[in-house]
Amino acid sequence: MIEIEHVHKSFGSLKVLDDVSLTVNTGEVLSIIGGSGSGKSTLLMCINGLEPIQGGRILIDGTEVHAKGTDLNALRRNIGIVFQQWNAFPHLTVLENVTLALRKVLKKSRSEAEDIAVKQLKHVGLGDKLTTYPGKLSGGQQQRMAIARALAMSPRYMLFDEVTSALDPQLVGEVLDTMRLLAEEGMTMIVVTHEMQFAREVSDRVAFFNQGKMEEIGPPEQIFDAPHSDNTKKFLANVR
Amino acid sequence: MFNYTFHWRPALNALPQMLEGAVVTLQIAVLSMIIGIAIGVVLAVMQGSRFRVFRGIASAWVEVARNTPALFQIYMAYFGLGQLGIHLDSFVALLAGITFNNAGYLAETFRGGLRAVPRTQVRAARSLGFGAFDAFRLIVMPQMFRAVFHPMTNQMVWAILMTSLGVIVGLNTDLTGVTQELNVRTFRTFEYFAIAAVLYYIIAKIVTLGARGIAWRLFKY
Amino acid sequence: MFETALSFNDIIFLLKGAGVTLLVTFWAMAGGTLMGVVFGTIRATAPRWVGWPLAFVLDIFRSVPLLIQLILANAFQAIAGLQMSAFVVSCVVLALYTSSYCSEIVRGGIDAVPVTTRRAARSLGMTWGQDMREIVFPLALRVMLPSWIGLTLGVMKDTALITWLGIIELLRSSQIIVTRIQEPLFVLSIAGLIYFLMSFPISRLGRHLEKKWQDL
């Protein structure tokens, strides 16, 4: 369970997260929508401790992320994150991209790591690209590799940060399909996205963020068909 | 026009001597690169330091190395330090001058190399649970190494070419020094130095092609 | 306080040396750029059987120490009885040496102009020459200028080597003073300072032009 309680976060004088509270239950898929600069991506960075926060707290299975003495490296093993810019490691093959953390962080043997990696890569449809370098892959393939890389660590939670925004339109589908599969398998996911159709189909709940505040949260039918907040209405009217 | 007979035979007979000189040339160049890389890394780190003193020292080094002639830097080591009571022989002075030069240029190279690796790479590594040190060692370093490899081989070639300046401070064991010794004994300047030129060319090409081969094997992506 | 035997006349002597350094740099850059533009254009546009041999020859200037080039050229002109002064030999060698680097800069600049832009120019009915003059060179110039300024500074530093041919440029003139007053560290530092003062405005000018041209 991910518990976010009254989180405040600012870059200098700029407030990016303003008293945000929400809970993500195990097995749940939560989508976060909102305009750029609404703080939704920053929230993901805070959840796995890549960004510090100035107020409130975030608990992952009861462990406070920003508390002193929290082993962030251990914590992050349980949280997979996939970025907008897929961040493949260009100097490693597809297989090595996935096995590196398994071997160096989880201290698995090479053969064990490769077994896991091959399984995950086949899962995302990259079973035939093991010895290829990321530079030779399409954006969609690199993004699927990044998903496999995160999944290989068998995380309890997966965070997706606008993973399709940097992709060519025709490559978006393959990545969304991979995520859909993951949701069906019962993975707990937080998905920051601009793909409204995807959010509606896959999410258990959808949250709308506006200027650092969480305006509204609820089941997709509520958010998309009968939003309570005017800002939500305005936003949805513009993206449709 | 040509009232001159070329005498290549005696010059070619001196080839073994000159090859010995070439070995010394390579030794100086390699040594100056090894020490220069070590200092260059330190300077690059210092330039990013929070302390002004460190930044100042590093910038001064880099600016002097880049904005004055290499020969000036060698003169400083050979004549200049003498006034401070530090007397270097010509070999050490040449080595010190070239090392100083290498370190200054390489510091800039390393800084650029560090910039060439996006910050997001560190993020991605940290999000997989790597510690800061492992993220640097396994993800940043290899990519940085690729970015600096080509400029480093260029610097190596320059280091080789710079060794020829040793003769000006009296070095007589490197390729140019040996050639000059032969020259003053025979006054067959053109023949001897033409052979030296060919040897330098071959050495430079071996280094360049060797580096290209290494790069080809190392950087498959 | 600090005492030195360096006199006002010595400073004048150093500045005269600096003048020689600048003069040689000027001729080397003038000749080198002229040849560099020609060689670079050939390298970028001519077929391989012309470009490669030229590239091979130019590469030699970058793979053999400049000092050796100077010694060889000087020896050669003596053998050939050309009766060139050391100054002329220095300028010629440095110009050739410069042209080798400059040709690479020019080639890089021309290659940086997108083929589509050139096709657009030719499709408007421009000739090869017009395309080069009106489109390629002005565009390439912006890419080339920073490297060219860098080359100028590099060549100015490399002129120190002509001291071997007995020309009294800046570094040599400082040597002469050192021999007399025996204050190597001080006198060399002044020479170094002069080098720095000469290169600083040029690099500033380069940065200024670069900025100015970015908006064009």
Side-chain angles (χ1 to χ4, degrees):
Chain A
M1 194 161 68
I2 300 176
E3 295 161 280
I4 296 163
E5 299 173 353
H6 304 292
V7 166
H8 288 265
K9 158 92 192 161
S10 39
F11 292 118
S13 60
L14 183 74
K15 256 192 174 306
V16 236
L17 291 175
D18 190 358
D19 196 24
V20 171
S21 297
L22 67 95
T23 303
V24 184
N25 294 309
T26 307
E28 190 182 23
V29 177
L30 172 77
S31 289
I32 303 180
I33 58 171
S36 54
S38 59
K40 48 198 195 325
S41 294
T42 310
L43 184 67
L44 297 191
M45 300 297 158
C46 293
I47 288 174
N48 76 350
L50 284 170
E51 288 282 353
I53 57 176
Q54 275 83 44
R57 57 180 196 160
I58 298 174
L59 300 171
I60 312 264
D61 299 327
T63 309
E64 188 175 344
V65 176
H66 296 89
K68 261 192 197 140
T70 301
D71 182 355
L72 277 175
N73 293 336
L75 188 88
R76 285 178 186 138
R77 282 170 221 160
N78 285 320
I79 311 171
I81 183 164
V82 184
F83 302 90
Q84 177 178 354
Q85 284 299 340
W86 35 86
N87 294 337
F89 301 135
H91 60 300
L92 303 175
T93 63
V94 168
L95 186 64
E96 288 165 348
N97 256 277
V98 181
T99 54
L100 188 69
L102 287 170
R103 289 173 53 209
K104 304 287 175 177
V105 177
L106 299 184
K107 311 282 180 209
K108 290 189 190 298
S109 73
R110 178 184 284 271
S111 63
E112 201 183 344
E114 285 182 353
D115 285 347
I116 298 172
V118 169
K119 199 178 116 228
Q120 290 297 345
L121 285 165
K122 278 187 182 154
H123 197 81
V124 300
L126 290 174
D128 57 338
K129 301 282 185 198
L130 300 180
T131 55
T132 311
Y133 283 92
K136 299 250 163 37
L137 297 181
S138 74
Q141 289 171 324
Q142 291 196 47
Q143 193 59 293
R144 281 186 281 145
M145 185 202 78
I147 294 174
R149 188 172 71 182
L151 284 177
M153 306 292 285
S154 33
R156 304 251 280 278
Y157 306 99
M158 283 290 288
L159 314 179
F160 294 90
D161 182 13
E162 301 191 24
V163 290
T164 55
S165 316
L167 294 179
D168 291 335
Q170 72 271 22
L171 299 177
V172 169
E174 60 188 63
V175 175
L176 291 184
D177 286 344
T178 306
M179 290 164 69
R180 202 169 274 133
L181 201 67
L182 207 55
E184 281 162 15
E185 288 166 3
M187 173 64 78
T188 311
M189 293 163 55
I190 303 182
V191 184
V192 169
T193 187
H194 289 303
E195 299 289 333
M196 297 304 154
Q197 191 56 38
F198 176 79
R200 175 193 279 260
E201 283 168 29
V202 174
S203 318
D204 297 304
R205 282 190 299 159
V206 177
F208 171 66
F209 272 56
N210 186 34
Q211 294 179 343
K213 285 193 164 71
M214 190 174 73
E215 286 265 335
E216 191 172 354
I217 187 166
E221 302 79 39
Q222 174 198 326
I223 302 291
F224 289 111
D225 299 332
H228 299 312
S229 143
D230 284 343
N231 285 329
T232 315
K233 276 180 208 157
K234 248 185 257 165
F235 173 75
L236 288 171
N238 282 331
V239 294
R240 268 188 196 144
Chain B
M1 181 161 137
F2 282 94
N3 281 325
Y4 185 88
T5 345
F6 289 96
H7 287 78
W8 292 103
R9 181 57 52 83
L12 283 171
N13 283 341
L15 204 56
Q17 268 172 282
M18 293 173 79
L19 283 172
E20 274 172 43
V23 172
V24 176
T25 287
L26 262 177
Q27 280 171 344
I28 300 171
V30 169
L31 264 177
S32 76
M33 276 305 280
I34 293 171
I35 310 172
I37 288 169
I39 300 175
V41 169
V42 174
L43 289 177
V45 172
M46 279 168 74
Q47 282 188 312
S49 159
R50 268 178 294 143
F51 302 106
R52 266 180 80 171
V53 196
F54 285 160
R55 283 207 307 270
I57 295 171
S59 312
W61 186 313
V62 170
E63 289 300 320
V64 173
R66 295 171 62 99
N67 286 308
T68 60
L71 184 58
F72 166 82
Q73 291 156 24
I74 295 162
Y75 272 10
M76 269 298 200
Y78 190 71
F79 301 110
L81 292 182
Q83 201 177 348
L84 299 175
I86 307 166
H87 294 282
L88 306 180
D89 66 32
S90 50
F91 181 91
V92 180
L94 177 68
L95 181 61
I98 300 174
T99 304
F100 179 86
N101 189 283
N102 284 346
Y105 277 91
L106 289 172
E108 287 289 282
T109 303
F110 294 147
R111 260 190 354 145
L114 211 51
R115 271 197 300 269
V117 184
R119 296 254 328 134
T120 50
Q121 287 282 311
V122 179
R123 283 219 139 163
R126 296 306 297 272
S127 76
L128 288 169
F130 285 106
F133 179 72
D134 272 349
F136 185 76
R137 184 174 63 97
L138 295 167
I139 304 300
V140 178
M141 272 275 276
Q143 295 184 53
M144 191 178 137
F145 184 63
R146 180 188 175 154
V148 300
F149 187 81
H150 183 67
M152 257 167 60
T153 49
N154 276 344
Q155 189 67 35
M156 174 68 191
V157 173
W158 279 346
I160 291 167
L161 301 187
M162 274 191 277
T163 58
S164 67
L165 304 182
V167 74
I168 306 181
V169 290
L171 185 67
N172 57 9
T173 49
D174 76 313
L175 179 48
T176 306
V178 168
T179 313
Q180 173 64 3
E181 293 271 290
L182 294 164
N183 172 39
V184 289
R185 250 183 278 148
T186 60
F187 291 105
R188 290 280 164 190
T189 312
F190 188 83
E191 289 91 328
Y192 283 114
F193 276 97
I195 291 174
V198 172
L199 289 178
Y200 273 110
Y201 181 80
I202 293 171
I203 296 171
K205 282 301 120 183
I206 290 174
V207 169
T208 320
L209 292 177
R212 204 174 292 169
I214 292 170
W216 186 77
R217 290 216 53 157
L218 237 47
F219 313 123
K220 297 214 165 133
Y221 57 96
Chain C
M1 265 299 283
F2 181 76
E3 273 185 37
T4 176
L6 192 77
S7 68
F8 181 71
N9 278 337
D10 292 336
I11 299 282
I12 298 293
F13 186 62
L14 278 176
L15 289 177
K16 274 188 186 157
V20 174
T21 291
L22 284 179
L23 193 64
V24 176
T25 307
F26 172 80
W27 285 118
M29 283 315 289
T33 305
L34 210 66
M35 288 187 283
V37 169
V38 175
F39 296 154
T41 310
I42 295 174
R43 291 268 281 119
T45 56
R48 276 191 178 178
W49 62 270
V50 185
W52 280 27
L54 181 64
F56 176 80
V57 174
L58 289 174
D59 181 58
I60 293 173
F61 289 103
R62 278 172 277 141
S63 306
V64 173
L66 180 60
L67 186 65
I68 308 279
Q69 295 179 37
L70 284 164
I71 295 172
L72 271 179
N74 200 42
F76 180 80
Q77 70 85 23
I79 291 168
L82 297 176
Q83 297 192 326
M84 288 156 88
S85 72
F87 183 84
V88 175
V89 172
S90 301
C91 288
V92 169
V93 172
L94 275 162
L96 280 167
Y97 172 79
T98 305
S99 78
S100 156
Y101 284 96
C102 192
S103 70
E104 285 297 307
I105 296 174
V106 171
R107 187 172 71 110
I110 293 176
D111 284 348
V113 179
V115 186
T116 47
T117 311
R118 305 193 51 189
R119 286 218 187 99
R122 296 302 291 274
S123 75
L124 290 170
M126 287 191 187
T127 64
W128 185 87
Q130 282 170 326
D131 172 33
M132 275 292 172
R133 219 168 36 244
E134 307 290 337
I135 307 295
V136 177
F137 272 119
L139 282 174
L141 203 58
R142 264 155 245 175
V143 181
M144 297 185 302
L145 192 80
S147 319
W148 186 84
I149 301 252
L151 178 61
T152 311
L153 298 177
V155 170
M156 191 174 79
K157 287 182 281 167
D158 287 334
T159 56
L161 302 198
I162 63 175
T163 187
W164 186 260
L165 299 187
I167 296 171
I168 302 171
E169 41 65 70
L170 177 52
L171 199 55
R172 179 58 168 270
S173 58
S174 75
Q175 268 310 101
I176 292 170
I177 298 170
V178 166
T179 321
R180 186 167 57 76
I181 69 173
Q182 294 297 319
E183 294 172 29
L185 193 62
F186 180 59
V187 178
L188 278 173
S189 298
I190 293 181
L193 188 69
I194 298 176
Y195 273 113
F196 188 80
L197 289 178
M198 291 194 298
S199 65
F200 190 65
I202 304 179
S203 64
R204 275 300 287 273
L205 177 78
R207 249 175 285 164
H208 173 74
L209 282 180
E210 209 181 332
K211 239 186 222 161
K212 199 173 134 193
W213 284 7
Q214 250 164 15
D215 309 328
L216 280 175

